[in-house]
Amino acid sequence: MADTAAKREADSVGGDELSHKVKKVKADDENGGGDVKKESEYENILSGFKTSKVLSDYAREKLMFIHGKLADQEAVVILEKTPIREDTLDELFSGSRLKLEMRNDIYSKYRLQAPSHLNEIKTTVVCPATEKHIKKYQSQESFLVEETGEDFQSITLPYIQKQSLSLQWVYNILEKKAEADKIVYEDPDPEVGFVLLPDLKWDQKQVDDLYLLAIAHQRDIGSLRDLTSEQLPLLQNILQKGKEAILQRYNLPGSKLRVYLHYQPSYYHLHVHFTKLGYDAPGCGVERAHLLTDVIQNLQSDPLYYKTRTLYFPLRADDELLSKFKEAGRL
Ligand code: G7M
């Protein structure tokens, strides 16, 4: 269930639209304030949200995607219960109310009513949401596509040039217009530099599900397919300095990290995912994730590896790119 398409796509929200987390952040949060936090702490922008449809519901993951209207604009809201944290257990046990539901021999079952700050729901809002966003959060069957270098040129490239999601949120980060207070590390070099910051999906409350993104300053690299040996210095820099920054900030060595690129990505601007090994991050499966170390080695042995290789990736049943592959007789 956790691996269904909509959940995998939970990693891909935003665009040039309002896209922010409405969550209560502890006052001593080391990442400090920022406009999003101030705004969200004092007003409930969701009080007028009108639900149209539950797009996907993952009871086990305690995760729900909802389509609705927010002040007459189309919106998607993603609700996800936050994990129980070891460092809050004492407070959870001492500060909660327990309601007995049943007792039988040595077994008893309760409803524990935790203090509200230990019982939060991570809430992500995409507004205005495009038709593409709404579709992508709807549970859908997936199909594995086989894309040759020629398929990329004739089918995928024309499609993504017309259809891909806006990169405004990426440029906002690079230009420090958004999330500037969250930056963990930056190498400002225009050729090999990048910004490392928490992914939208990570609430930064525990390193168990650590998820950071390294976003390249260079703006003309769309995806894996654009990489040649020319970009090796950039990729090696991201790998080395990204790992160093994570060791310094989170005390997590490179041997505990999964560092990879998505193909297809949702956003066609070069970025690298850093997640904690052992955390089953959405989109980290073999059909979508390409380890950065492998990418580097492949480019070292063949500078045009990603121009010529056949690449495989999943597409959802309602994805227009899938229709393009079908129309071309490639599926
Ligand atoms: O699939 P792809 O490789 O394109 O992954 C894009 C990543 O960007 C996902 O892991 C998203 O969670 C993340 N992401 C998307 N948006 C819109 C934002 C954002 O506004 N801020 C941050 N920090 N991460 C984002």
Side-chain angles (χ1 to χ4, degrees):
M1 186 165 63
D3 198 35
T4 61
K7 178 152 191 306
R8 254 197 330 269
E9 295 296 339
D11 52 344
S12 313
V13 297
D16 54 351
E17 59 285 271
L18 164 75
S19 173
H20 52 196
K21 292 177 166 189
V22 187
K23 60 177 186 180
K24 198 159 180 338
V25 185
K26 277 201 300 192
D28 61 353
D29 185 335
E30 66 171 312
N31 288 301
D35 294 340
V36 172
K37 179 179 151 195
K38 276 186 209 129
E39 177 196 331
S40 58
E41 282 222 280
Y42 299 115
E43 58 176 300
N44 176 3
I45 63 152
L46 291 177
S47 60
F49 183 78
K50 298 265 180 304
T51 300
S52 318
K53 191 176 177 203
V54 172
L55 298 170
S56 311
D57 181 0
Y58 303 94
R60 216 183 80 179
E61 283 81 14
K62 295 158 194 75
L63 171 68
M64 188 181 267
F65 298 79
I66 305 139
H67 170 214
K69 285 219 159 154
L70 196 53
D72 286 335
Q73 289 188 307
E74 298 296 332
V76 172
V77 173
I78 304 167
L79 299 177
E80 185 179 3
K81 287 214 177 182
T82 52
I84 299 164
R85 283 162 42 209
E86 191 177 340
D87 60 323
T88 62
L89 285 180
D90 286 348
E91 199 187 347
L92 191 70
F93 290 131
S94 62
S96 301
R97 283 174 33 155
L98 268 194
K99 272 172 77 177
L100 181 70
E101 286 205 324
M102 72 89 183
R103 201 193 310 266
N104 183 352
D105 189 33
I106 60 169
Y107 306 99
S108 47
K109 199 162 110 186
Y110 299 87
R111 293 246 144 199
L112 183 148
Q113 295 173 341
S116 57
H117 67 282
L118 298 182
N119 191 20
E120 295 178 340
I121 298 178
K122 188 168 88 181
T123 305
T124 306
V125 180
V126 184
C127 180
T130 63
E131 192 54 37
K132 224 175 152 154
H133 288 113
I134 296 161
K135 263 190 177 174
K136 92 187 310 171
Y137 295 123
Q138 188 118 35
S139 315
Q140 281 274 331
E141 210 182 341
S142 287
F143 297 89
L144 197 73
V145 170
E146 195 178 315
E147 181 200 71
T148 62
E150 294 83 57
D151 292 334
F152 174 73
Q153 291 299 334
S154 63
I155 306 171
T156 311
L157 186 59
Y159 173 77
I160 58 182
Q161 280 169 342
K162 267 206 338 239
Q163 303 283 337
S164 53
L165 288 168
S166 163
L167 293 175
Q168 193 55 51
W169 69 272
V170 173
Y171 301 146
N172 286 346
I173 289 171
L174 295 177
E175 293 164 17
K176 319 285 159 28
K177 292 179 181 162
E179 305 185 53
D181 57 321
K182 300 214 160 28
I183 293 176
V184 170
Y185 174 81
E186 176 173 16
D187 176 342
D189 188 282
E191 291 300 314
V192 299
F194 65 98
V195 168
L196 181 74
L197 82 172
D199 189 279
L200 189 60
K201 287 190 295 295
W202 187 36
D203 66 9
Q204 301 165 70
K205 294 203 172 173
Q206 57 279 310
V207 287
D208 277 354
D209 57 352
L210 175 137
Y211 201 144
L212 295 161
L213 274 187
I215 303 178
H217 273 299
Q218 272 198 55
R219 297 194 178 195
D220 52 358
I221 311 165
S223 73
L224 205 56
R225 279 283 186 210
D226 294 325
L227 295 176
T228 65
S229 53
E230 233 181 274
Q231 280 82 41
L232 278 170
L234 167 64
L235 299 174
Q236 282 159 331
N237 195 44
I238 290 178
L239 181 63
Q240 188 199 326
K241 294 205 180 128
K243 283 199 297 194
E244 281 168 14
I246 291 172
L247 177 63
Q248 213 169 32
R249 172 70 76 96
Y250 304 102
N251 200 23
L252 213 59
S255 57
K256 291 279 182 192
L257 295 174
R258 184 193 292 116
V259 187
Y260 57 97
L261 292 90
H262 275 162
Y263 193 74
Q264 300 282 337
S266 301
Y267 302 96
Y268 290 86
H269 173 111
L270 186 75
H271 56 275
V272 176
H273 303 248
F274 287 74
T275 61
K276 183 162 181 268
L277 201 66
Y279 163 53
D280 187 16
C284 75
V286 291
E287 74 278 35
R288 194 161 178 218
H290 297 251
L291 284 179
L292 182 56
T293 42
D294 283 343
V295 172
I296 289 172
Q297 286 199 62
N298 290 336
L299 290 173
Q300 281 168 337
S301 46
D302 176 1
L304 298 181
Y305 186 93
Y306 289 102
K307 298 275 182 204
T308 53
R309 280 294 292 224
T310 295
L311 296 175
Y312 299 82
F313 51 84
L315 287 178
R316 293 155 47 91
D318 66 350
D319 195 314
E320 277 180 53
L321 184 56
L322 188 74
S323 314
K324 302 276 176 215
F325 271 84
K326 281 185 182 160
E327 280 164 27
R330 298 287 296 121
L331 202 80

